Amino acid sequence: MSAAEVERELTTTISLGVRPVVDGQVNLDTLIQSLDTENQSVVAQVLAATEPTALLLVLKGAGRGNRFMVNKTGTTIGRAVDSGIFLDDVTVSRKHATINFDRGFTFTDAGSLNGSYLNNERASTALLKSGDEIQIGKFHLVFISNKSSSTNSQSDNK
């Protein structure tokens, strides 16, 4: 193997093939209607909450169907066991991303090797809105919130 091939081999990242799961508000409504009664109840509670509250629902990946609550204090996402949202897969960095609240929920990639995708576009920072799809490694999560932007997400692509 030549030196160039060795260098390329060492810097190659895993290509996961991004595919859409949720496509905007219309499909979000359809998704909510397709949930079981318990999950519909949780979504209703999130949407009715007075404090800034969000829900991440795993649509694809290990733990499909799991849900994670996020409040105004925010959370961390990663493979580290002390992450607020623990995603156990080698395609996820130990400290992969964060979600914080300041007038709206903001997603920030923490410089992860494989990156993060918001609605099928690589993003380093983005203002989240209900119905946004976040892909971290093999995981596809849908974001639902009572205090999210009503306009399209503004992402800062790498």
Side-chain angles (χ1 to χ4, degrees):
M1 200 179 281
S2 72
E5 290 174 321
V6 168
E7 185 176 330
R8 190 178 74 236
E9 180 79 20
L10 294 175
T11 59
T12 301
T13 58
I14 299 169
S15 175
L16 300 172
V18 180
R19 69 166 190 77
V21 174
V22 175
D23 184 22
Q25 190 66 39
V26 172
N27 286 342
L28 176 62
D29 293 338
T30 303
L31 171 71
I32 292 170
Q33 291 172 3
S34 72
L35 297 174
D36 61 37
T37 306
E38 180 183 355
N39 280 322
Q40 284 184 3
S41 175
V42 171
V43 169
Q45 290 173 18
V46 166
L47 296 176
T50 56
E51 288 292 315
T53 305
L55 171 73
L56 286 172
L57 181 64
V58 180
L59 298 178
K60 181 181 176 201
R64 182 174 180 232
N66 286 350
R67 55 186 187 245
F68 301 98
M69 299 299 289
V70 181
N71 60 28
K72 67 180 179 182
T73 62
T75 193
T76 57
I77 304 169
R79 191 168 34 97
V81 293
D82 63 343
S83 297
I85 298 176
F86 174 62
L87 301 176
D88 190 17
D89 190 86
V90 296
T91 61
V92 177
S93 296
R94 284 179 183 85
K95 296 181 192 285
H96 199 102
T98 60
I99 295 178
N100 293 304
F101 184 83
D102 181 28
R103 289 184 270 185
F105 285 98
T106 303
F107 176 86
T108 305
D109 183 90
S112 63
L113 178 63
N114 291 324
S116 299
Y117 294 82
L118 180 65
N119 301 322
N120 294 322
E121 293 184 25
R122 191 165 180 150
S124 57
T125 302
L127 182 62
L128 296 170
K129 66 175 180 41
S130 284
D132 279 345
E133 176 197 347
I134 300 170
Q135 182 184 358
I136 296 176
K138 294 179 181 179
F139 296 86
H140 290 251
L141 305 104
V142 66
F143 176 84
I144 301 169
S145 175
N146 66 338
K147 301 289 186 200
S148 63
S149 171
S150 60
T151 61
N152 290 338
S153 292
Q154 304 290 314
S155 63
D156 173 22
N157 295 331
K158 283 186 174 180

